[in-house]
Amino acid sequence: MKSLILGVTLTLFSTFQVMACSCECTGDCSFSAISSNSEIVALVKVISYDDYLEGGKRPYSMTVEIIKKYKGTESRKTIKIWGDNGTECRPYISNFKLGEFYLVAPNQLGEYKLEGENSTDYDFFSCNTDYMKVDMDKQKAFGVFTKTRTEIGLKEFEEKVKK
């Protein structure tokens, strides 16, 4: 009986977790499409984890340095990006490594901020490809750039953004 109750409880819990962030990409959710409609697109470097969950074990937010801004009016040299707390449709900040570079097209929080967040902070949406890892030695970004392409050179990306 205990195993039945445990099984039902785990099933309900896992169902809740899926429902908390149950999304499907409708249309083109590649970085190319998302960045073309984004307010800000930049090459950034992760410089710190700032807020933590689970007693300081899991990073909840990060500060990134804007290395190069391709699009947008953001004037700050650094911005804060929030991740998932277990109930949001955001990627976990632990996916981003300190000192590494990313092409990003984040969403400014505005009125949709959670407790502790500022309206001028940013987040990503798990159902979109709104960031790509960058290898600075190769000068390439890797991820879902288009539905059929998983990498792009930074110079080529810059040319595409200018169009």
Side-chain angles (χ1 to χ4, degrees), residues 5-114:
I5 292 171
L6 179 62
V8 169
T9 302
L10 288 174
T11 301
L12 289 173
F13 180 72
S14 65
T15 301
F16 172 74
Q17 289 289 358
V18 170
M19 289 172 48
C21 186
S22 178
C23 63
E24 291 182 27
C25 174
T26 55
D28 187 352
C29 298
S30 67
F31 189 80
S32 178
I34 298 303
S35 63
S36 69
N37 294 315
S38 183
E39 300 266 333
I40 179 174
V41 178
L43 171 65
V44 301
K45 179 181 180 181
V46 179
I47 58 174
S48 68
Y49 297 141
D50 303 314
D51 299 275
Y52 290 84
L53 298 168
E54 298 174 8
K57 294 181 181 177
R58 189 172 57 151
Y60 182 36
S61 71
M62 64 182 169
T63 296
V64 298
E65 176 184 2
I66 297 174
I67 305 301
K68 183 164 191 171
K69 185 174 61 174
Y70 298 104
K71 179 179 171 184
T73 59
E74 178 62 65
S75 60
R76 296 174 289 173
K77 185 71 177 157
T78 62
I79 58 173
K80 191 172 196 175
I81 301 175
W82 291 85
D84 196 76
N85 61 11
T87 62
E88 299 300 312
C89 285
R90 299 173 177 173
Y92 291 107
I93 292 300
S94 58
N95 293 342
F96 301 87
K97 304 301 177 204
L98 291 172
E100 292 190 351
F101 295 84
Y102 299 86
L103 280 180
V104 299
N107 307 300
Q108 193 164 38
L109 297 178
E111 64 185 72
Y112 301 106
K113 64 185 179 61
L114 301 175

